[in-house]
Amino acid sequence: MKKFLQVGIRVQIALATALLVVGLAVLMSFVIGKRSGADLRQQIGIGVSDIALQMADELDRTMWTHRGEVSVLSTLTAFQDFSNTQQMSSIINRLRKEIPIFTWIGILDREGTVVASTGDILLGANIAQRPVFQYGRVGQFIGDVHEAKLLADKFPSSTGEPIQFVDIAVPLTSENDELNGVFAAHLSWEWANTVRRTLFSGQGVHHNVDIFVIAENGTILLGADQEMVGETLSIDALDEARRNHIGWKISTWPDGHEYLTGYAPADGHLDYEGLNWSVLVRQRVEDALQPVYLLRRDILIWGLVLAVVFSSIAWWGAGFFVGPITRMANSIEAMKRGDLDVLPDIRGAREINILSSNLRALLAKLTEKDVALGEMERIAHHDTLTGLGNRMALDVYFEHAIAQADRQKSELAVLMLDLDDFKQINDKLGHAAGDEVLCEVARRLRRCVRGGDLVVRLGGDEMVIVSHVEGDGKSQSITLAERILQEILMPFITGGSRVSICMSIGISLYPRHAQKPERLLNQADQALYAAKARGKNGYVLYSDQDMIGNDASSRA
């Protein structure tokens, strides 16, 4: 700021104009960006939440549909009579051809042996220990996503990753409801990935959207990043989906980035209860708010362009009144150097003429009042006899001294001083001699204190010293009191007479004893009276518990 004020007015006006325009551009960028960002965040959040809900609904509907298909197929007469396995194989292979999602279908007898299957894969194998048989013979069974242990080499994945299935199994019964076997179907999990890629590819503000399907135990079953599949996810949005909540929030994912995350539960469809999957749809906050960032950038660029244009105009326009002001400033500098006695009358615009006339009149009056004000200030803050400060000076000094002590974590020593038996000097030698003694006492007190301390005469022979003390304030204030007493004990020569005099001192400390000046002075005054009561020519340090003092004879 100081360097800015040292340049010319034209430069200041041009810079101020540029800063104003840039400031307005930054303010507009912030306000518009904040408002637009909030609106866009809300819009995208609702969008990703809708996508999550649609994906969850599509998963449940698909599972409900294929579960129904398996249930209907299991009722066919061909699957109730195990004598014609050729017919069973024909129907199964035709079904695989028409509905490719049925990667493998097998008919198991009551012992768990495969009697008919897609492409005769695992034909004759006993899979009685597999969940499709163990649970399928009891009732309708829908198994969660899993890798194919027995079919991995039979159905290699195009991506090289292990193929995954969702199992559907139902019991096959005779007309007497006796268990004949199990109808088992493995649905390729690839259908869910196809739904993710095609149905929710992301358009408009929903570009770069990632969709995840999460198992009940938190395992990622489906995701855009195959490296994440199989990992366990734990974020707040997933917790919301598990509570059957639908919505969106900004969540921090394991990669450390923040995403707008929509969530919805896959909680079944009609009589299909679902597998307690959760669907999460995420979009990077930076990607979502990219339009807002671009808008902010454009506003700032235009702000910089306009700042250059308007500052140039301001530079040109300022020249019309800068000239007279420059001449006026040079004249004032010449007056300060003593080269001019009177400010010349400078002409220019109407406001310049008024300013020039008023400055000339003002400078004349200020010159006249300067000396008078200095003298008035000296009289107002000093004692006319001794030249020491007075009560007004003490009040002003206290305000600054206490603030300085607080900043420096130091203490102030307040010493209340009173000459012992001073009245006898006035009575014996006269008031003129007494005044000489007071002036000499003032000179000696000044020699005892440091430059930043204050010596004040309150009236008569009563004086106050306020001194900054560091470290042990009690010890330093006592040292100062002892130095003063030694200095005052030196004889005084007044009116041709040799006069000896002594002094009593009361001491209080800020902030140890009090924090307000009035209280400190009162405590120092109490300590002064205690010093006089103990025989004079000594000091007493104020204490809340008692008065700890000393005198000249005990010090000797």
Side-chain angles (χ1 to χ4, degrees):
M1 184 64 182
K2 185 177 180 180
K3 292 183 178 180
F4 175 76
L5 294 176
Q6 291 176 350
V7 301
I9 294 179
R10 292 184 73 178
V11 176
Q12 291 186 31
I13 293 175
L15 289 177
T17 303
L19 290 174
L20 178 62
V21 175
V22 171
L24 288 174
V26 171
L27 179 62
M28 289 177 61
S29 173
F30 174 78
V31 174
I32 294 175
K34 190 173 184 64
R35 179 64 182 271
S36 300
D39 292 344
L40 188 59
R41 230 183 346 253
Q42 181 72 15
Q43 177 185 351
I44 295 177
I46 294 174
V48 294
S49 175
D50 288 342
I51 292 176
L53 181 59
Q54 293 176 48
M55 182 69 180
D57 185 64
E58 184 67 20
L59 292 174
D60 287 334
R61 285 177 179 272
T62 302
M63 289 298 298
W64 173 78
T65 299
H66 295 311
R67 185 211 63 168
E69 292 170 348
V70 171
S71 295
V72 171
L73 287 171
S74 67
T75 62
L76 295 178
T77 304
F79 295 125
Q80 296 177 354
D81 183 6
F82 278 46
S83 61
N84 193 349
T85 57
Q86 185 176 1
Q87 184 182 14
M88 290 181 180
S89 298
S90 176
I91 295 174
I92 290 172
N93 286 306
R94 178 65 181 272
L95 181 62
R96 169 73 173 84
K97 180 179 180 181
E98 297 295 335
I99 310 177
I101 191 174
F102 288 102
T103 304
W104 181 84
I105 300 174
I107 307 299
L108 317 178
D109 61 17
R110 67 185 63 183
E111 284 77 27
T113 301
V114 180
V115 298
S117 65
T118 303
D120 292 339
I121 297 174
L122 297 182
L123 186 63
N126 186 285
I127 58 173
Q129 300 304 316
R130 303 301 300 160
V132 288
F133 180 77
Q134 292 290 330
Y135 295 106
R137 66 181 179 177
V138 178
Q140 187 181 74
F141 166 72
I142 300 177
D144 210 335
V145 179
H146 65 90
E147 294 183 3
K149 295 183 178 181
L150 298 178
L151 300 174
D153 58 340
K154 306 296 183 180
F155 299 99
S157 172
S158 59
T159 62
E161 299 292 331
I163 190 169
Q164 293 182 310
F165 292 118
V166 177
D167 297 338
I168 300 177
V170 295
L172 297 174
T173 59
S174 65
E175 294 180 356
N176 299 326
D177 290 332
E178 294 180 356
L179 180 66
N180 287 338
V182 174
F183 187 105
H186 285 345
L187 277 65
S188 172
W189 181 236
E190 183 63 25
W191 64 269
N193 203 24
T194 301
V195 171
R196 180 186 65 82
R197 288 196 305 265
T198 59
L199 186 57
F200 306 120
S201 57
Q203 299 295 328
V205 295
H206 298 305
H207 64 286
N208 296 330
V209 167
D210 298 329
I211 301 174
F212 294 84
V213 179
I214 316 297
E216 183 179 12
N217 62 1
T219 302
I220 298 177
L221 302 176
L222 181 67
D225 187 354
Q226 287 298 320
E227 293 183 359
M228 297 181 65
V229 174
E231 295 183 359
T232 300
L233 183 65
S234 178
I235 59 174
D236 51 0
L238 179 58
D239 296 336
E240 294 293 333
R242 287 172 173 169
R243 299 188 188 103
N244 287 332
H245 294 169
I246 300 171
W248 69 276
K249 66 190 326 180
I250 296 178
S251 299
T252 302
W253 282 63
D255 60 3
H257 295 292
E258 288 189 336
Y259 292 84
L260 281 167
T261 306
Y263 50 84
D267 52 2
H269 178 71
L270 297 179
D271 60 340
Y272 167 60
E273 296 182 355
L275 294 172
N276 294 323
W277 292 337
S278 299
V279 178
L280 301 182
V281 179
R282 73 178 190 181
Q283 184 175 16
R284 283 278 292 272
V285 173
E286 293 82 355
D287 294 338
L289 299 182
Q290 187 66 23
V292 177
Y293 299 149
L294 294 177
L295 177 61
R296 284 182 173 179
R297 184 200 62 186
D298 293 342
I299 292 175
L300 290 175
I301 290 175
W302 277 106
L304 292 174
V305 172
L306 291 176
V308 173
V309 173
F310 283 106
S311 61
S312 300
I313 295 175
W315 170 276
W316 174 76
F320 289 100
F321 61 88
V322 167
I325 293 178
T326 302
R327 292 195 297 273
M328 192 180 302
N330 292 335
S331 299
I332 293 174
E333 286 290 334
M335 288 184 65
K336 289 172 60 179
R337 295 193 303 268
D339 298 338
L340 290 177
D341 295 328
V342 180
L343 185 69
D345 187 14
I346 298 175
R347 301 285 91 187
R350 177 175 175 273
E351 290 78 6
I352 298 295
N353 297 337
I354 294 174
L355 177 62
S356 176
S357 299
N358 290 339
L359 275 178
R360 293 175 68 211
L362 180 62
L363 286 174
K365 291 183 179 180
L366 288 176
T367 302
E368 295 174 0
K369 293 181 178 179
D370 187 43
V371 177
L373 286 174
E375 182 63 21
M376 289 174 62
E377 182 179 2
R378 190 190 68 79
I379 293 174
H381 289 83
H382 290 81
D383 175 57
T384 55
L385 175 63
T386 62
L388 298 177
N390 57 15
R391 182 56 188 257
M392 185 180 296
L394 178 62
D395 293 339
V396 174
Y397 181 83
F398 257 128
E399 181 179 351
H400 298 287
I402 288 177
Q404 180 180 346
D406 290 341
R407 289 194 304 270
Q408 298 177 350
K409 307 298 182 184
S410 60
E411 292 184 288
L412 293 176
V414 179
L415 283 71
M416 185 72 72
L417 308 96
D418 191 79
L419 295 175
D420 297 330
D421 301 323
F422 180 70
K423 185 174 181 300
Q424 296 178 6
I425 296 177
N426 282 330
D427 295 342
K428 182 178 180 181
L429 302 177
H431 288 283
D435 290 345
E436 290 184 14
V437 171
L438 288 176
C439 291
E440 178 61 24
V441 168
R443 285 190 288 271
R444 295 186 183 185
L445 290 178
R446 287 196 187 97
R447 292 199 298 266
C448 292
V449 299
R450 293 172 298 185
D453 298 338
L454 178 69
V455 184
V456 171
R457 181 191 178 201
L458 296 181
D461 60 337
E462 188 177 23
M463 303 179 189
V464 173
I465 293 177
V466 182
S467 176
H468 289 271
V469 290
E470 298 176 355
D472 186 357
K474 175 181 175 181
S475 174
Q476 290 197 32
S477 61
I478 290 175
T479 300
L480 175 60
E482 291 177 343
R483 185 163 63 248
I484 292 173
L485 293 177
Q486 291 295 332
E487 189 73 24
I488 297 300
L489 280 177
M490 297 174 63
F492 292 80
I493 305 298
T494 176
S497 301
R498 183 185 180 90
V499 177
S500 295
I501 196 170
C502 55
M503 176 179 283
S504 295
I505 303 174
I507 308 170
S508 64
L509 294 173
Y510 170 88
R512 183 181 306 194
H513 297 143
Q515 296 186 354
K516 292 187 177 181
E518 296 80 4
R519 181 67 176 159
L520 289 166
L521 291 171
N522 182 264
Q523 292 170 345
D525 195 51
Q526 294 178 37
L528 172 64
Y529 278 105
K532 285 184 174 292
R534 295 182 180 181
K536 306 177 183 179
N537 191 29
Y539 63 86
V540 167
L541 177 68
Y542 179 85
S543 171
D544 290 333
Q545 289 77 28
D546 56 0
M547 297 290 184
I548 303 172
N550 207 339
D551 55 29
S553 60
S554 65
R555 288 193 309 276

